[in-house]
Amino acid sequence: MRARLLTALLAALAFLPALPARADTPELPDRIAAAWRTDHLSVDPRLAPGIPQSELDRIRAAMRTAAVPVYVALVPRTPALGKKTYDMPTLLHARIGTPGLYVLAVVDGNYWSTLAELYRPGGLRGRDLVSVQNDDKQRLDVLADRPAPRIVRTIQQASTAFDGRALPPVPAGDLEPPSDHGLTTTDKEDRSAYIGMGVGAVLGFALTLVIGLRRRRRHVPKASKQPAKDEPPIDAWEVQLKADDRIKAAERTVARLDKRRNRTTEQLDQRDDAYRRLDAARALRADHPDDLLASAGALVLARQAERGASGAAVQPPCFFDPTHNPGTATVDWSDDVQVPACQQCASVVRHGKTPRGLRVWSKSGLLGHDRKQVPYWTLDPEDNPMVATGFGALSDDLPERVAAWKDEVR
C-alpha cells in the first residue's frame, strides 16, 4: 500500500510545472545603473517621499548646465553599502562606461555627503577634481542638511576641473549660518585672545623668516649652479610650510565639526578619525621639525584629517611623491603590487618609466662619506614609518606607526 502511494506521489510531482528559481536581488550598483538608463538622476524609493521636488528640480537644472554628462544617485546610508561607499563612483562608471561626472549622495539621518569622480574622454587632460575641491574655500561651509547644495557645488567643481570655467560663489541660502551665532561673552573673549595670539605669532614668524633669508643669502655662493651637498633634494622648508598650513586648516575643520549639534554616528566616527590623523601630524612636526620625511608625512595626515572632518572620503597619498595630489589612480608597481598615484605619476608609470618621486639624501660609499639623492622608497623601512607605509599609500595605519615610533625614539 505504501509503495503504491509513493509511486502515485512521484508521478504527480513529475507532471507539476517546474517552479522558477528565485532571482537574487540586484546589487546596488546594478540597480542605480539600470535607473540611469532612463533618468540620470536616480532617487532611492525609500528617500523619494521625503525629498522636496524643488530640490530635485534644482539638481536637474545644474546637471543640464554642466560641461560634461552628469549621473547622480541619492541613496540612504545602510549596512549593505558599507565599505563599498568609496568605490561606488568607480563601480557605477564601470557599468555605464560613458565619460562624465558620477556623483553618489548618501544621507545618514539629516546629513548628506557626496562622493564623486570625473572621467574624461580618452586623450583629454585637465585639472583633477580633487585639486579643484581642495582649492574651493567655500566647500566646508556648504549646507549638508539637504541634498541639492552639495550636489550642485560638486557639479560646479567638476565643470571647473573639466574646462577651466570660473567657480561661482555659493548662494547665501546654501551656506551654513555664521559661527558667531550663539557665542557667549566668554567665547568671544577667548576668540579675541586667540586672534591676538595669532597676530603675534604671524609677526614673529615674519621676523624669523626675514632673518633666515638674510642668513641664507650670506652662505649661498652667487656663482653656484648646483645645490650644496648639505641641501635637501627638494626644498624641505616649503614642505614644512605646507604641512603647517594644512594642520591649521584641519584644526579649523575639526573644530567646525565639533560645534555641530545633533551629530550622527558617522560624523562622530569622522571626527575621531580626523583627530587621530591630526594628532599624528602634530607629533611629526613637533618631534622632527627639520626632517623632510616627517614633514611630508605630517602634510599627508593633516590633509586626510581635513577631508575626513569635512565629510569627504579620506584619500591615500601618491605613493611616489606624497607632496603631490592624492593618489586617485592605481598603477602596477614591482612584482604585481598596485599602489595609488596622482595622475601625473600614473601617466609616467603607464609609459613604462619610473617617476622621479620624493628624493632624499642617503649615505653611500665604503665608509659612508659619500651622499647621493635617492627615492625615499629605497631606504630601510625599519627606520621610518613613512617609508614602511609609503606615507599611508601601502597601509592606512600611519598614525599608529607614528605613535609607536615616537615611543621608540623616547
Side-chain angles (χ1 to χ4, degrees):
M1 183 66 180
R2 291 180 179 176
R4 291 180 181 178
L5 182 60
L6 181 58
T7 301
L9 180 59
L10 291 174
L13 290 174
F15 287 97
L16 286 177
L19 293 176
R22 184 176 179 181
D24 294 334
T25 303
E27 293 188 356
L28 180 59
D30 296 317
R31 298 201 301 270
I32 295 175
W36 277 348
R37 291 187 177 94
T38 57
D39 188 349
H40 287 191
L41 176 58
S42 169
V43 182
D44 191 284
R46 291 166 289 184
L47 301 179
I51 300 179
Q53 186 61 40
S54 58
E55 288 285 294
L56 301 179
D57 291 342
R58 187 173 172 211
I59 295 172
R60 291 184 190 278
M63 293 168 64
R64 287 193 296 268
T65 60
V68 294
V70 180
Y71 298 85
V72 179
L74 280 63
V75 299
R77 172 78 61 185
T78 62
L81 195 57
K83 296 181 179 179
K84 290 184 179 180
T85 304
Y86 299 134
D87 297 328
M88 282 294 291
T90 302
L91 297 176
L92 291 168
H93 175 253
R95 285 159 171 79
I96 299 298
T98 303
L101 175 66
Y102 289 74
V103 182
L104 181 75
V106 183
V107 63
D108 188 355
N110 65 342
Y111 178 79
W112 287 88
S113 59
T114 56
L115 296 168
E117 288 288 349
L118 176 61
Y119 299 92
R120 293 180 172 84
L124 290 183
R125 296 182 179 181
R127 286 191 65 187
D128 186 73
L129 175 59
V130 174
S131 94
V132 174
Q133 292 173 330
N134 288 339
D135 291 342
D136 183 1
K137 297 180 179 180
Q138 291 188 294
R139 73 187 188 282
L140 301 179
D141 299 323
V142 177
L143 286 171
D145 57 357
R146 47 194 174 89
R150 292 206 167 189
I151 294 175
V152 170
R153 193 59 175 176
T154 301
I155 294 173
Q156 294 170 345
Q157 292 164 345
S159 297
T160 296
F162 186 78
D163 62 9
R165 67 175 65 184
L167 194 61
V170 177
D174 285 353
L175 293 174
E176 292 183 349
S179 57
D180 286 348
H181 293 312
L183 288 180
T184 63
T185 302
T186 303
D187 291 336
K188 294 180 179 179
E189 292 175 353
D190 291 342
R191 186 183 63 177
S192 300
Y194 289 140
I195 292 174
M197 292 170 60
V199 172
V202 170
L203 294 176
F205 174 77
L207 179 61
T208 303
L209 179 60
V210 171
I211 295 174
L213 289 176
R214 288 180 178 177
R215 290 179 178 176
R216 186 174 181 180
R217 292 193 187 101
R218 294 173 186 173
H219 290 86
V220 177
K222 294 182 179 180
S224 176
K225 295 182 180 180
Q226 300 294 331
K229 288 186 177 181
D230 291 335
E231 290 182 356
I234 67 169
D235 196 341
W237 177 72
E238 181 180 354
V239 177
Q240 292 161 10
L241 286 181
K242 288 182 178 180
D244 292 339
D245 288 343
R246 188 64 71 172
I247 287 174
K248 293 177 182 177
E251 290 173 341
R252 292 193 296 268
T253 307
V254 175
R256 189 179 293 113
L257 179 58
D258 260 338
K259 291 180 180 179
R260 285 182 180 271
R261 298 180 180 178
N262 302 321
R263 293 188 297 268
T264 64
T265 302
E266 181 187 15
Q267 288 175 310
L268 293 174
D269 292 341
Q270 291 169 344
R271 181 199 62 182
D272 294 342
D273 182 69
Y275 271 124
R276 181 173 65 95
R277 299 176 191 274
L278 182 56
D279 289 343
R282 291 166 173 164
L284 286 173
R285 289 293 295 126
D287 298 337
H288 310 276
D290 300 321
D291 185 78
L292 174 60
L293 294 179
S295 298
L299 172 62
V300 169
L301 290 167
R303 185 168 58 195
Q304 292 176 333
E306 182 186 10
R307 282 187 60 84
S310 66
V314 174
Q315 297 174 315
C318 173
F319 168 78
F320 300 101
D321 192 335
T323 65
H324 287 178
N325 286 332
T328 55
T330 302
V331 295
D332 294 327
W333 175 253
S334 179
D335 299 331
D336 297 329
V337 174
Q338 291 187 326
V339 296
C342 67
Q343 296 296 331
Q344 175 185 348
C345 290
S347 177
V348 174
V349 174
R350 288 172 185 143
H351 283 82
K353 299 180 181 179
T354 299
R356 174 177 173 81
L358 179 65
R359 291 182 173 261
V360 294
W361 287 110
S362 176
K363 294 181 180 180
S364 62
L366 182 62
L367 300 178
H369 294 311
D370 298 331
R371 301 172 73 239
K372 62 179 181 179
Q373 298 178 16
V374 298
Y376 82 88
W377 60 79
T378 62
L379 302 179
D380 187 353
E382 297 294 332
D383 296 337
N384 194 294
M386 271 64 71
V387 178
T389 65
F391 293 89
L394 302 178
S395 60
D396 192 27
D397 60 347
L398 182 56
E400 290 75 17
R401 295 201 183 207
V402 168
W405 190 39
K406 183 176 182 179
D407 294 337
E408 291 175 4
V409 172
R410 288 178 179 177

